[in-house]
């Protein structure tokens, strides 16, 4: 089972969006940023999806500080392609940030790509 944690301003909306996809093998859990970082570092979770109003700093601030920049990627206000998401996952990214107004587009894209890797 792949565990995805959500955090930030839109954490409940992200969780609801991903749960609504009904993906097999994916567990989605609403979390705080600090708790998510600790669980990721301890191997108790696999991925983190964070949101804020701009998709920049606040969506991943704590996670970048505790996990390191190489594990993190922010889309800001942009919407990636499937290929871009797959390349980021292949590169080992586990922590993703994006803006609240992109939840309905980015959360499903990320969740499906993560589920396909499981």
């Amino acid at each position: 089972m792949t565990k995805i944690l959500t955090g930030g301003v839109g954490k409940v909306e992200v969780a609801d969006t991903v749960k609504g996809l009904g993906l097999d093998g994916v567990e989605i859990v609403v979390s705080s940023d600090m708790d998510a970082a600790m669980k990721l570092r301890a191997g108790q979770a696999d991925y983190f999806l964070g949101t804020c109003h701009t998709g920049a700093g606040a969506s991943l601030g704590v996670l970048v500080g505790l996990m390191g920049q190489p594990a993190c990627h922010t889309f800001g206000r942009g919407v990636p392609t499937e290929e871009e998401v797959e390349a980021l996952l292949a590169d080992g990214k586990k922590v993703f940030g994006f803006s609240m107004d992109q939840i309905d587009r980015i959360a499903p894209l990320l969740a499906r790509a993560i589920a396909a890797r499981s």
Side-chain angles (χ1 to χ4, degrees):
M1 176 78 54
T2 300
K3 184 182 270 189
I4 301 172
L5 305 176
T6 66
V9 181
K11 62 187 171 187
V12 173
E13 292 89 342
V14 172
D16 289 346
T17 298
V18 174
K19 285 178 186 174
L21 299 173
L23 299 171
D24 288 332
V26 173
E27 178 184 3
I28 188 89
V29 178
V30 175
S31 180
S32 69
D33 294 357
M34 185 62 78
D35 189 50
M38 295 299 106
K39 286 183 177 173
L40 286 164
R41 288 177 66 170
Q44 298 170 347
D46 303 293
Y47 295 94
F48 176 82
L49 308 181
T51 54
C52 69
H53 293 286
T54 65
S59 65
L60 297 182
V62 170
L63 281 293
V64 169
L66 294 175
M67 298 291 297
Q69 185 63 44
C72 304
H73 180 80
T74 181
F75 297 108
R77 298 185 57 79
V79 177
T81 64
E82 279 185 46
E83 292 78 19
E84 289 170 324
V85 169
E86 289 169 9
L88 290 166
L89 291 170
D91 192 37
K93 303 292 184 191
K94 296 193 172 289
V95 176
F96 298 93
F98 48 97
S99 64
M100 286 186 53
D101 62 345
Q102 301 294 352
I103 289 172
D104 61 331
R105 296 173 69 193
I106 296 178
L109 183 62
L110 281 166
R112 287 186 180 113
I114 289 168
R117 295 178 64 84
S118 301

